[in-house]
Amino acid sequence: MRPERLNPLFADADSLDGVGPKLRRPLEKLGLTRVKDLAYHLPDRFVQRRTVASLDDAEVGEQIVLALTVIEHRASTGRGPFRVLAQDAIGNVCALTYFGRASYSAKSQLPVGETRWVAGKLEQYGQMLQIVHPDHVAAENAALVGKLTEPVYPLAEGLTQPRMASLAAQGLERLPDLPEWIEPGLLDRQKWPHWRDALLLAHAREHPDARDRLAYDELLANSLALMLVKSANRARRGQPLAGDGRLRGKLQLPFPLTGAQQRSIREIEGDLAQLSPMLRLLQGDVGAGKTVVALEAMLTAVEAGAQAAMLAPTEILARQHYETLRKLIAPTGANIALLTGRDKGRPRESILMGLLDGSIDILVGTHAIFQDTVTYRNLALVVIDEQHRFGVGQRLMLTQKGRVTPHCLAMTATPIPRTLTLAQYGEMEVSRLDEMPPGRQPIDTRVVAVERIADVVAGLERHLANGQQAYWVCPMVREHETEDIAAAEARYAALRERFGDTVVLVHGQLKPELKDAAMERFASGDAKLLVATTVIEVGVDVPNATLMVIEQAERFGLAQLHQLRGRVGRGSEKSVCLLLRGGQLSETARERLALMRETQDGFRLAEEDLRLRGGGELLGTRQSGDTPFRIASLEQITRLLPIAHDDARLLVERDGGLASDRGEAARILLYLFERDWGVQLLRGG
Ligand code: ADP
Ligand code: MG
């Protein structure tokens, strides 16, 4: 149970003054639903103001505070603004400009003949100096003294800075006193403030140490939870699996395994032979050959008299894995089945029977394979493909299916940088397939301006006439999914006009039957051109598809582009990837596209991606979308995560039950960052 002193922080945001139904929406949009979220809603930056004696002392563009005496109210004409003309102590004139309803309050706040202290940004409008919508107007200077430095918060429509500041301030008032969970030596060395002070400071002024401390807390909570998972797992009883090689010996692979594959298989075998369940991540770029490694692992389990299950994130992938594995497994005589959410009635019943009586050795499927109604005779190994789609929580649930905990092999084709591997998979051992099977042709990658799209389509025509297949990828941006789909549909219609019935469309909102039908037509070679949103990102394998066009390539991240490009270059024919780009490119976008041309090494691209996104980062900009963190920026993750990780490991080694004073404090930290599953494991044993 959550420690009581944290309760005020987890209270609903509604409990703050001024939060009614109207504010709830914009707050939710920012992910601010509880008091804690507001206390942790840190400013993007700060306005620094300077008090000046007259306008002569101020620069245009500067944030100032000065005394002005009102000369005249100039009513708005038509759509124009309402202006208050005012002069400083030596007679310089300046306009205070208001649009819309703000002019009503301006009239009463700034009576003609009175002197007022005004805070705002000085601008030039034609010949005139002006301040548009002053931030503050006060009768006494004293009222503005505290406002020389003010936070600027990330906002959503319907929220204002003063409102946000008031909510954050209320959140800060409710901060409890919490014991220190950071190791004292580290706190000293870094000169970090304590938790409560750090939050207060981070809202009050630019304070890198305070922000680092808060980021560190989040990183430490994450690492600690992962370490607890790891140590709890070590204490669990699994089933040692020692295969005798009788099935694996019958495999007839058309190629020798790469060194990296052999090494990974050995590492996995080593884990499987242990009593404590395996928790291993197999990291390998698209095409690196993870499937065979998984197959060897699953056959090892079957040789040992147990069952294995492979979980895929989508139905398409489950089907594809099933087909691939079925063919590979055939010579061994092992029994494999496919189960997805679409299987109903008799076929489903018969699969369930097979699992229960053990006649099915290997099951491939979507998460349907872990429903309560699915009972295995002896499930000893779970393989999870495309791991990044499952959170740690889900992972834990999946592996708690059987009487004994099954071994778990997670596979991901997203080559993420080492630091992020720690953040996301810190509880796992890692095997890296850092060597590609031989004979792969490099993919010829070119950047093409979108104005040349007609040439691209002409090239596509020649390509298809040559009997080869192609992908056409339309961009997908989350906020406007429907628009993206509309764009993909429009492109599909245009290409279909040109190339007829051989064009198929796949996107995320298509009914599964239609999606599968389209994919099957493409995979069988019946359809020649697949138009898609990024749903093809994962897994699909069609060696005859040797051309990929990516529209608005500048809108994709490096990792994503790399993932997409990995769909081609899978056969013996030379492959081409055309990155269509728009006219206006940022420096970073330009660099990203250049890197795509330059290298095909996924791990290198991942490191560069991190560098491009994490470097030059402004205070508090949160670009860590694909990390499990809200507070820590990419730059902070890179710098502080390794420290947090070591610290968490030491703490768990010394005090695995979190029973010492620091351990107690660390429990509070876990609840604070909602990694309570870490704490729950302590009790579960
Ligand atoms: P991943 O799942 O890692 O993206 P796959 O397992 O689908 O990659 O393998 C990609 C392709 O490479 C498949 O066609 C597979 O048969 C082939 N392959 C795998 N290992 C080797 C190898 N050692 N030598 C040659 N080809 C291989
Ligand atoms: Mg794969």
Side-chain angles (χ1 to χ4, degrees):
M1 268 248 297
R2 183 195 304 144
E4 250 167 52
R5 56 178 131 183
L6 289 181
N7 286 347
L9 290 175
F10 282 84
D12 229 55
D14 290 14
S15 66
L16 296 173
D17 280 349
V19 182
K22 247 187 171 165
L23 277 195
R24 190 160 335 145
R25 261 265 213 76
L27 287 177
E28 263 172 23
K29 207 163 170 199
L30 294 167
L32 310 176
T33 57
R34 297 152 309 176
V35 170
K36 159 183 125 77
D37 303 325
L38 285 154
Y40 267 106
H41 191 55
L42 303 180
D44 268 341
R45 57 194 173 86
F46 289 86
V47 192
Q48 296 285 354
R49 301 196 177 93
R50 198 163 64 90
T51 307
V52 294
S54 77
L55 288 163
D56 288 353
D57 292 349
E59 308 275 336
V60 169
E62 200 179 359
Q63 300 277 357
I64 53 169
V65 174
L66 92 164
L68 291 171
T69 304
V70 179
I71 317 170
E72 182 191 338
H73 286 179
R74 197 169 278 178
S76 63
T77 50
R79 293 242 202 104
F82 170 71
R83 287 204 166 87
V84 176
L85 296 189
Q87 62 184 15
D88 66 10
I90 54 173
N92 295 312
V93 176
C94 152
L96 306 174
T97 304
Y98 292 89
F99 294 90
R101 287 200 310 204
S103 52
Y104 299 128
S105 54
K107 272 178 203 158
S108 57
Q109 274 187 317
L110 293 154
V112 174
E114 299 280 317
T115 299
R116 291 287 182 267
W117 287 86
V118 176
K121 185 175 177 191
L122 186 64
E123 289 168 9
Q124 180 127 24
Y125 180 71
Q127 291 302 306
M128 194 169 36
L129 286 173
Q130 71 168 1
I131 294 174
V132 181
H133 288 219
D135 298 326
H136 302 284
V137 173
E140 304 290 332
N141 186 11
L144 295 188
V145 167
K147 313 234 150 130
L148 289 176
T149 298
E150 270 192 317
V152 179
Y153 290 100
L155 296 180
E157 197 172 328
L159 284 163
T160 60
Q161 288 299 341
R163 169 72 69 186
M164 195 54 116
S166 138
L167 296 177
Q170 291 183 59
L172 292 174
E173 269 166 31
R174 300 203 192 173
L175 296 182
D177 272 322
L178 299 179
E180 186 53 76
W181 45 75
I182 295 183
E183 200 258 312
L186 178 66
L187 201 70
D188 266 6
R189 272 199 306 287
Q190 303 276 4
K191 304 200 169 46
W192 282 340
H194 287 296
W195 173 73
R196 197 164 168 277
D197 296 336
L199 270 172
L200 294 172
L201 283 166
H203 282 273
R205 60 191 163 91
E206 239 162 82
H207 201 301
D209 285 338
R211 302 212 44 145
D212 275 358
R213 193 241 138 92
L214 297 175
Y216 186 83
D217 287 346
E218 187 181 37
L219 298 171
L220 181 63
N222 188 66
S223 289
L224 190 55
L226 294 177
M227 284 299 152
L228 290 171
V229 170
K230 190 171 187 167
S231 94
N233 187 69
R234 215 175 280 141
R236 281 221 186 83
R237 229 172 57 86
Q239 186 177 349
L241 301 172
D244 54 12
R246 77 193 133 83
L247 299 179
R248 282 171 291 168
K250 290 189 196 142
L251 280 178
Q252 293 162 15
L253 296 180
F255 44 73
L257 296 173
T258 64
Q261 282 171 323
Q262 290 173 22
R263 193 188 63 232
S264 301
I265 290 169
R266 272 200 308 277
E267 286 164 352
I268 292 165
E269 281 173 352
D271 287 356
L272 291 177
Q274 306 298 314
L275 182 61
S276 62
M278 167 167 77
L279 258 187
R280 184 171 286 275
L281 178 70
L282 179 63
Q283 215 178 11
D285 216 337
V286 169
K290 294 183 290 297
T291 314
V292 184
V293 177
L295 173 62
E296 296 263 352
M298 292 194 289
L299 287 177
T300 306
V302 179
E303 283 168 6
Q307 290 165 305
M310 181 189 249
L311 175 65
T314 66
E315 217 158 296
I316 293 178
L317 275 177
R319 224 162 266 286
Q320 205 161 57
H321 273 314
Y322 171 70
E323 290 302 333
T324 311
L325 292 171
R326 195 172 53 87
K327 283 177 209 139
L328 289 170
I329 282 175
T332 70
N335 226 329
I336 184 169
L338 172 71
L339 181 66
T340 71
R342 277 162 65 194
D343 294 306
K344 304 261 149 64
R346 288 278 277 288
R348 182 180 151 87
E349 286 310 311
S350 110
I351 291 171
L352 294 188
M353 276 310 296
L355 290 170
L356 195 56
D357 68 20
S359 58
I360 294 175
D361 301 307
I362 296 175
L363 183 67
V364 179
T366 53
H367 52 266
I369 67 178
F370 289 113
Q371 279 163 0
D372 282 341
T373 44
V374 182
T375 316
Y376 297 80
R377 193 176 73 89
N378 183 11
L379 178 65
L381 170 65
V382 174
V383 179
I384 307 180
D385 194 18
E386 292 313 336
Q387 174 66 23
H388 62 289
R389 302 210 174 181
F390 299 93
V392 176
Q394 275 169 300
R395 215 137 81 202
L396 285 174
M397 274 176 28
L398 293 181
T399 49
Q400 278 162 6
K401 226 5 219 182
R403 269 171 295 119
V404 292
T405 308
H407 297 280
C408 176
L409 176 67
M411 307 200 288
T412 172
T414 317
I416 55 175
R418 281 187 195 276
T419 0
L420 293 188
T421 306
L422 274 189
Q424 267 156 357
Y425 309 107
E427 86 281 24
M428 300 191 165
E429 306 300 325
V430 178
S431 294
R432 258 191 175 195
L433 289 182
D434 48 12
E435 177 191 354
M436 279 295 190
R440 292 283 153 84
Q441 294 223 26
I443 299 165
D444 181 4
T445 303
R446 293 181 225 159
V447 181
V448 182
V450 70
E451 291 82 48
R452 291 181 45 209
I453 195 164
D455 297 343
V456 170
V457 173
L460 175 61
E461 181 155 37
R462 287 192 296 277
H463 182 86
L464 298 181
N466 217 6
Q468 294 182 34
Q469 291 167 280
Y471 296 100
W472 187 295
V473 182
C474 306
M476 172 73 102
V477 190
R478 275 270 162 67
E479 303 101 79
H480 311 291
E481 205 195 351
T482 40
E483 276 174 47
D484 292 330
I485 286 170
E489 272 166 353
R491 180 61 70 208
Y492 166 67
L495 290 167
R496 206 177 157 90
E497 193 129 303
R498 177 98 175 224
F499 300 116
D501 190 37
T502 63
V503 188
V504 288
L505 172 69
V506 173
H507 63 66
Q509 282 183 356
L510 220 53
K511 286 209 188 82
E513 304 89 80
L514 294 178
K515 192 162 29 179
D516 283 6
M519 287 308 302
E520 271 157 28
R521 277 194 63 203
F522 187 68
S524 71
D526 174 36
K528 303 294 183 208
L529 177 60
L530 177 70
V531 179
T533 53
T534 50
V535 289
I536 58 160
E537 204 177 314
V538 203
V540 180
D541 191 6
V542 182
N544 189 44
T546 50
L547 171 64
M548 167 161 294
V549 180
I550 304 179
E551 263 189 88
Q552 293 189 39
E554 73 273 14
R555 284 171 66 178
F556 294 94
L558 263 183
Q560 215 179 2
L561 283 175
H562 175 68
Q563 196 92 359
L564 287 168
R565 180 172 60 182
R567 300 296 115 223
V568 295
R570 302 197 141 216
S572 50
E573 292 291 325
K574 185 159 184 58
S575 287
V576 176
C577 176
L578 300 179
L579 304 172
L580 294 191
R581 64 157 178 82
Q584 299 291 316
L585 287 197
S586 71
E587 192 50 42
T588 316
R590 203 176 294 278
E591 227 181 300
R592 270 207 304 267
L593 296 182
L595 271 164
M596 283 302 293
R597 247 183 351 224
E598 192 181 308
T599 181
Q600 242 158 275
D601 177 344
F603 289 106
R604 162 140 191 250
L605 286 170
E607 299 289 347
E608 295 284 349
D609 196 35
L610 181 64
R611 182 182 63 78
L612 285 177
R613 291 187 304 150
E617 219 178 342
L618 299 169
L619 172 70
T621 44
R622 297 191 188 89
Q623 300 178 305
S624 35
D626 52 0
T627 76
F629 305 116
R630 282 182 72 171
I631 311 297
S633 69
L634 281 175
E635 187 278 322
Q636 286 170 319
I637 295 170
T638 312
R639 185 161 43 89
L640 299 174
L641 184 74
I643 308 176
H645 197 73
D646 279 349
D647 193 19
R649 190 169 42 78
L650 276 177
L651 178 58
V652 173
E653 267 168 25
R654 283 190 204 138
D655 179 18
L658 299 186
S660 65
D661 283 352
R662 191 178 166 219
E664 285 287 340
R667 284 174 191 241
I668 294 178
L669 174 72
L670 289 170
Y671 278 102
L672 183 61
F673 283 99
E674 294 162 85
R675 261 68 172 186
D676 350 346
W677 37 266
V679 186
Q680 257 121 53
L681 285 169
L682 290 178
R683 234 160 278 130

